[in-house]
Amino acid sequence: MARTLLYLARHGEQDQTASDADGGLSPLGREQADRLGRRLAAVTFSQVHHSPLARAVQTTDVLARHLLRVARHPCGLVADRTPVPSAARRDQYPERWLSWLDGVPAQERDEDAAALRGAVEHFGVTGEVDRCELLVTHNFVIGWFVSQVLQTPVWRWIGLNSVNCGLTIVKWESGQSPEVVAFNDTGHL
C-alpha cells in the first residue's frame, strides 16, 4: 500500500519594510525558518517544492541548511493564490465574503480554484512507492489543500489560517480517504 505525505509549510514572516511588494523575509522570518528547518531535519524528503515568491524562496534557502542533499525547485503549482468564485458560482460562497473576494488583486485571483485544484490533483496522489515531499507555500494554498482533504464546502478554506512557518501534514494512502495528520503545528516556534 503506497502512501504520500505532504508537509505544507507557510513561508516565514515577510519584511514589511521592503519597498517591493514581494519583499523577502524579516529577521523574525529567518528565525522562524531556521526553527522549522531544525524541526524537519530528521524527515526524509524526496524533494522540496517552493513558491517562486521571494519570501518562500528565502524560507527554502534557510530550510536547505537543515535538509542536506534534498532537491528543491520553484513550483508554480504552490504560488500565492486566492480562490475566487466565478459569476456562475458566487452562490456557493457566503454573502459576507463576496465583497472581500471581489477585492482580491488580479495577479492573485484563481477563478473557481482552477490552479489550486490542479495542485491538489498533482500532489495528492499515490504511486508505486511511498513519497514524502515538502511544499513551502502560502496561507490560502494550505487552507485549500486542507479543505479539499476534509471535503468541506468550496469556500471553507477561508479561515483555515496558518501562521508563518506553521506546519501542516496531509496524507494520501492507497485505498483510503485522504487525511489531515497535523494542521498549523507551531511546536517548533
Side-chain angles (χ1 to χ4, degrees):
M1 183 178 331
R3 178 178 71 177
T4 297
L5 278 175
L6 293 181
Y7 284 65
L8 304 158
R10 186 175 180 197
H11 58 78
E13 180 186 78
Q14 184 175 352
D15 182 359
Q16 297 300 319
T17 65
S19 58
D20 183 0
D22 182 21
L25 295 179
S26 70
L28 175 60
R30 286 189 286 283
E31 176 63 25
Q32 292 167 331
D34 185 64
R35 288 174 181 245
L36 177 60
R38 284 185 266 148
R39 166 82 181 275
L40 297 176
V43 180
T44 304
F45 292 109
S46 57
Q47 55 187 311
V48 177
H49 312 270
H50 62 83
S51 164
L53 292 179
R55 56 193 179 270
V57 172
Q58 290 177 13
T59 299
T60 303
D61 290 344
V62 174
L63 294 174
R65 292 184 231 153
H66 301 280
L67 305 175
L68 304 176
R69 295 179 293 283
V70 179
R72 59 190 169 117
H73 66 96
C75 177
L77 291 170
V78 296
D80 195 8
R81 301 184 195 289
T82 304
V84 295
S86 63
R89 294 191 173 159
R90 288 177 69 83
D91 64 337
Q92 294 178 356
Y93 279 72
E95 183 71 31
R96 69 182 181 272
W97 294 111
L98 294 177
S99 64
W100 177 76
L101 290 164
D102 290 343
V104 171
Q107 68 273 17
E108 293 175 21
R109 297 176 74 80
D110 183 10
E111 190 169 284
D112 294 335
L116 287 171
R117 289 177 196 277
V120 172
E121 289 173 14
H122 176 80
F123 289 111
V125 295
T126 57
E128 296 297 316
V129 297
D130 288 351
R131 199 177 89 213
C132 184
E133 298 180 357
L134 173 61
L135 282 60
V136 179
T137 187
H138 305 274
N139 185 43
F140 295 158
V141 175
I142 295 167
W144 182 263
F145 267 84
V146 170
S147 70
Q148 293 303 289
V149 167
L150 295 176
Q151 299 178 357
T152 66
V154 69
W155 61 271
R156 198 54 195 100
W157 59 269
I158 299 172
L160 293 175
N161 295 315
S162 296
V163 301
N164 294 110
C165 286
L167 184 61
T168 295
I169 305 169
V170 291
K171 176 175 77 169
W172 284 263
E173 202 159 354
S174 299
Q176 297 185 20
S177 296
E179 64 183 85
V180 176
V181 176
F183 175 71
N184 200 30
D185 182 343
T186 59
H188 51 283
L189 298 176

